[in-house]
Amino acid sequence: MPDRIQLLPDHIANQIAAGEVIQRPASAVKELMENAIDAGATEVKLIINDAGKSLVQVIDNGSGMGDIDARMCFERHATSKIRSIDDLFQIRTMGFRGEALASIAAVAQVELKSKREEDEAGVFIAIENSVVKVQEPVAHPRGTSFAMKNLFFNVPARRNFLKSNAAELRHIVDEFTRIALAFPSVFFSFTSNGQQLYHLEPGSLKQRIVQLMGSQLNAKLVAVREQTDYMNITGFVGKPETARKTRGEQYFFVNSRFIRSPYLHHAVMNAYQSLITSDSFPLYVLFIDLDPAQVDVNVHPTKQEIKFEDEKIVYAFVQAAVKHALAQFSVTPTLDFELDAAIQSLPSIQQPFTDKKQEAVLGSSIFRAFTQKHQAHLIERRMATPQQDLGSLAPAAAAGAGITARQVAEADLLQLLNTYIVVPTERRLLLVHQQYAHERVLFERLSEASREKPVATQRTMFPQSFELPLADAAIMEEILPELNTLGYHIEPFGQNAYLVQGTPADVEALNVRSQIELLLDQYKNFRADKSFSPREKVIRSLSRQSATRAGIPLTEREMKQLLADLFTCRQPNFSPQGQPVFVEFSAEHLASLFAK
Ligand code: ADP
Ligand code: MG
């Protein structure tokens, strides 16, 4: 038997490795534009043809390269940006792996022209399939021009995999936008098939946002700016009315690098909680800057996902900063003033996390200090109701359930039409919708429980089994793990059949089968909605389904319990579906109703 193991030829190894970095024309746009930024360019021009399939060209006025570097830059792991492993923890540049140009050269025809300030002549290199075809002097201004032609000309399988021009162009616009946002002081232009799509003069971040996303935003951006020793956050968020039902204008940059982070997105959504409905997305462009040693950008080849040394701090900080910013534009002027002052005096906003940066690395202890004093927390509670002055109720909720419970206990409650609870307080009157209130309470309870620890399960004495139609069984498969973290204990039990061993301790376990059927029905309503995770959908369905309905008579005791629970919610104003939970009539408003 001959030996069978062979080394792959270089150009094939390069093609395979290239797949990680260059997936589509937009990947090359990103890499080439980042290189231009790293080279210190103040002008970057992007030119593409056929959605980048036949040409992606980036021209910059950066440092340029000499003959040797121009040749070297196409070697795999050729980089001028790190020299030792330690450098990896101090990265300030966009690139560092030295893979992009080698990858591009492996899967396209590349023409490079470059010149340094100090050189007489520039250098021209043509390379194809990782093989240099031409290298000669050329007249060129200081800076670099990279042209990538006919992407995947030598890898037909990948070429066929590319999407329509419209889809590929979309990806390119996305990459261009991210980089243009991250560097507003740099001039950018973007020309597609000979037509100029963008011409972005250098300016402030606000100007850049408006250039890219439309002048209607000009008066609708709220500045975010918080600085501590540990991290800084700057940028803009949209006023609540700019929120849209579709995603698209949400940008996080960490040390100037665009990142995707569902976790931090959640922090922002949290900050907006009572200001927009839960199914809409606010606009934000936020820059987080912190010591590079606190971030690992090395976890993903295209570097869009990063790991924070302590992501809880970052979460709390982002949330607090956005809340603080939102508190500054006024809905109710007097209330706003108070809120603003209260928040501004909070130690978490005023003070650095710590004097010594070293301590910052012991992240979790700082985080504890930050939340244990309920600082981030307090902002949250206060801010949950900026539009509706709840008078004595809101501060009570912030201070804890004790006071609220007492206040509610003192009030004489009245149920109206078996649907609304009338709550008189000193100078106002609230009308609370019992079903929406209960949905809110259940929703928060389940969300919290599923985040922190599994919900207590109550084992059934006699396990029941049930069967589902095929379509429902498919949904059941999808949500079973979620149900089990929420306190159910259900196992598959043969074809399309399930065995119920336990139910959540505070859900009545009378007829689990019909409970599950109802739940599946509810879940179907949310199923197609991509903005929620399966878990959130299950929680929404469960809280919807288990909530007291409108039309059910409640005892005084039940009403009191419900209100006490409601006003300790983080966000009592809206139901999970976005309906208002209560309306408020102030003494003035009531008086005005009787005005002549
Ligand atoms: P990385 O950016 O990770 O270092 P690349 O493959 O993208 O790796 O680039 C390799 C090297 O080529 C860079 O480190 C840089 O020294 C040089 N280079 C690439 N593009 C430019 C440019 N536009 N201007 C000047 N130098 C460049
Ligand atoms: Mg690079």
Side-chain angles (χ1 to χ4, degrees):
M1 279 278 269
D3 292 333
R4 285 173 307 172
I5 298 179
Q6 291 187 345
L7 278 177
L8 286 174
D10 265 2
H11 72 276
I12 297 189
N14 279 343
Q15 277 179 14
I16 294 172
E20 278 222 332
V21 188
I22 305 297
Q23 282 129 11
R24 49 173 23 105
S27 329
V29 167
K30 169 176 191 285
E31 296 294 340
L32 295 177
M33 288 182 67
E34 287 185 351
N35 280 347
I37 298 289
D38 283 346
T42 57
E43 279 181 22
V44 179
K45 298 175 188 151
L46 170 65
I47 299 166
I48 64 166
N49 285 336
D50 304 317
K53 291 174 185 171
S54 59
L55 175 73
V56 171
Q57 183 173 19
V58 173
I59 304 170
D60 69 56
N61 65 350
S63 62
M65 286 182 274
D67 295 3
I68 296 175
D69 278 357
R71 182 63 196 269
M72 267 291 281
C73 70
F74 293 106
E75 296 293 328
R76 190 157 294 281
H77 308 305
T79 179
S80 54
K81 299 165 194 174
I82 65 169
R83 298 201 178 271
S84 75
I85 198 77
D86 291 339
D87 294 346
L88 255 191
F89 299 98
Q90 289 305 327
I91 288 175
R92 295 263 175 210
T93 50
M94 306 297 285
F96 57 88
R97 294 166 176 255
E99 282 178 330
L101 295 180
S103 299
I104 291 173
V107 292
Q109 296 151 341
V110 178
E111 290 172 12
L112 160 67
K113 288 181 202 164
S114 194
K115 188 180 102 64
R116 293 180 299 190
E117 187 78 64
E118 63 266 35
D119 293 335
E120 277 292 295
V123 52
F124 172 81
I125 291 183
I127 191 166
E128 168 172 326
N129 238 344
S130 308
V131 179
V132 176
K133 299 277 169 170
V134 186
Q135 172 158 10
E136 61 193 25
V138 70
H140 197 262
R142 176 195 132 132
T144 303
S145 155
F146 266 102
M148 176 186 89
K149 296 184 173 165
N150 305 319
L151 178 60
F152 300 139
F153 78 102
N154 54 350
V155 206
R158 305 210 59 165
R159 193 172 175 88
N160 295 336
F161 193 69
L162 292 177
K163 300 251 164 58
S164 67
N165 280 10
E168 295 297 344
L169 182 62
R170 192 68 241 156
H171 284 290
I172 292 175
V173 171
D174 284 348
E175 294 294 355
F176 177 85
T177 305
R178 290 165 189 167
I179 295 175
L181 278 174
F183 300 94
S185 58
V186 173
F187 168 89
F188 290 95
S189 69
F190 179 0
T191 306
S192 166
N193 294 338
Q195 199 192 342
Q196 195 170 66
L197 301 184
Y198 294 93
H199 179 99
L200 308 175
E201 294 294 344
S204 67
L205 174 61
K206 187 169 182 183
Q207 287 165 336
R208 185 56 52 94
I209 295 174
V210 169
Q211 284 171 330
L212 286 163
M213 301 183 204
S215 53
Q216 80 284 356
L217 286 175
N218 213 345
K220 299 195 171 157
L221 296 172
V222 180
V224 177
R225 177 169 214 96
E226 301 291 347
Q227 299 188 305
T228 67
D229 271 4
Y230 183 70
M231 60 186 278
N232 297 335
I233 181 166
T234 54
F236 290 89
V237 295
K239 290 187 180 172
E241 69 256 35
T242 62
R244 303 242 189 106
K245 294 282 178 204
T246 52
R247 278 171 183 266
E249 291 170 334
Q250 289 77 38
Y251 297 90
F252 275 118
F253 298 87
V254 172
N255 294 345
S256 302
R257 198 184 290 282
F258 170 80
I259 60 147
R260 286 176 200 285
S261 170
Y263 183 67
L264 295 185
H265 172 72
H266 189 270
V268 177
M269 290 300 281
N270 236 323
Y272 272 91
Q273 231 174 23
S274 63
L275 301 172
I276 62 178
T277 57
S278 56
D279 60 348
S280 53
F281 300 93
L283 174 152
Y284 57 84
V285 180
L286 294 172
F287 291 81
I288 295 167
D289 289 295
L290 73 177
D291 182 349
Q294 292 288 311
V295 193
D296 184 359
V297 288
N298 210 8
V299 289
H300 194 268
T302 59
K303 295 167 274 174
Q304 284 191 355
E305 272 141 46
I306 61 164
K307 244 172 56 207
F308 292 104
E309 196 54 41
D310 192 327
E311 58 174 14
K312 286 191 189 132
I313 289 193
V314 184
Y315 184 101
F317 193 75
V318 167
Q319 184 182 331
V322 173
K323 288 200 157 171
H324 185 201
L326 288 173
Q328 290 176 346
F329 77 89
S330 152
V331 181
T332 316
T334 52
L335 179 65
D336 185 59
F337 178 77
E338 279 166 35
L339 273 172
D340 199 15
I343 286 168
Q344 291 218 0
S345 65
L346 284 174
S348 61
I349 297 296
Q350 287 282 304
Q351 287 166 10
F353 280 99
T354 164
D355 292 341
K356 280 180 249 122
K357 267 203 183 150
Q358 267 327 87
E359 276 177 38
V361 185
L362 307 167
S364 51
S365 63
I366 299 169
F367 175 66
R368 256 181 270 123
F370 188 55
T371 49
Q372 249 170 21
K373 289 184 218 140
H374 299 294
Q375 294 168 341
H377 210 58
L378 190 61
I379 301 177
E380 204 165 86
R381 286 273 157 79
R382 293 265 177 96
M383 285 296 301
T385 53
Q387 291 172 311
Q388 308 188 24
D389 179 6
L390 283 183
S392 49
L393 274 176
I403 308 173
T404 308
R406 198 186 61 223
Q407 282 189 337
V408 171
E410 279 166 7
D412 284 320
L413 300 175
L414 177 74
Q415 193 188 19
L416 207 68
L417 304 171
N418 286 341
T419 301
Y420 309 99
I421 305 170
V422 182
V423 189
T425 69
E426 236 168 90
R427 290 196 48 80
R428 66 206 72 224
L429 183 130
L430 297 185
L431 217 50
V432 180
H433 191 291
Q434 66 190 44
Q435 178 180 338
Y436 298 154
H438 199 201
E439 282 179 22
R440 166 53 61 184
V441 168
L442 292 173
F443 177 78
E444 292 207 1
R445 198 174 285 163
L446 289 168
S447 315
E448 204 143 288
S450 74
R451 255 199 315 275
E452 264 131 44
K453 50 183 176 343
V455 180
T457 300
Q458 168 190 332
R459 291 210 141 235
T460 45
M461 204 102 78
F462 307 103
Q464 310 172 31
S465 71
F466 62 91
E467 225 175 279
L468 290 174
L470 198 63
D472 285 358
I475 301 181
M476 192 65 183
E477 292 302 312
E478 200 174 304
I479 66 176
L480 196 58
E482 311 301 341
L483 284 178
N484 286 340
T485 55
L486 291 169
Y488 283 91
H489 186 166
I490 303 178
E491 287 167 7
F493 191 59
Q495 275 238 303
N496 307 334
Y498 299 87
L499 187 67
V500 183
Q501 310 251 38
T503 54
D506 50 3
V507 169
E508 277 182 83
L510 291 179
N511 187 344
V512 183
R513 190 216 158 104
S514 65
Q515 247 180 48
I516 296 289
E517 281 171 355
L518 260 173
L519 174 68
L520 290 173
D521 273 350
Q522 285 294 343
Y523 187 83
K524 283 176 203 159
N525 294 333
F526 298 117
R527 195 174 181 206
D529 194 330
K530 295 251 182 325
S531 47
F532 302 116
S533 67
R535 168 161 311 175
E536 193 166 347
K537 286 183 221 173
V538 171
I539 291 177
R540 280 166 182 273
S541 311
L542 263 179
S543 41
R544 187 84 206 257
Q545 173 220 316
S546 331
T548 304
R549 301 279 118 166
I552 305 281
L554 299 179
T555 64
E556 170 97 13
R557 229 185 105 145
E558 286 168 329
M559 290 191 276
K560 285 192 166 149
Q561 188 57 51
L562 179 57
L563 293 175
D565 290 347
L566 177 67
F567 289 111
T568 45
C569 278
R570 294 150 64 92
Q571 208 300 68
N573 302 38
F574 288 99
S575 78
Q577 267 65 248
Q579 293 104 337
V581 167
F582 52 84
V583 289
E584 183 222 347
F585 300 89
S586 64
E588 296 76 32
H589 181 58
L590 289 174
S592 75
L593 294 178
F594 294 93
K596 250 201 319 191

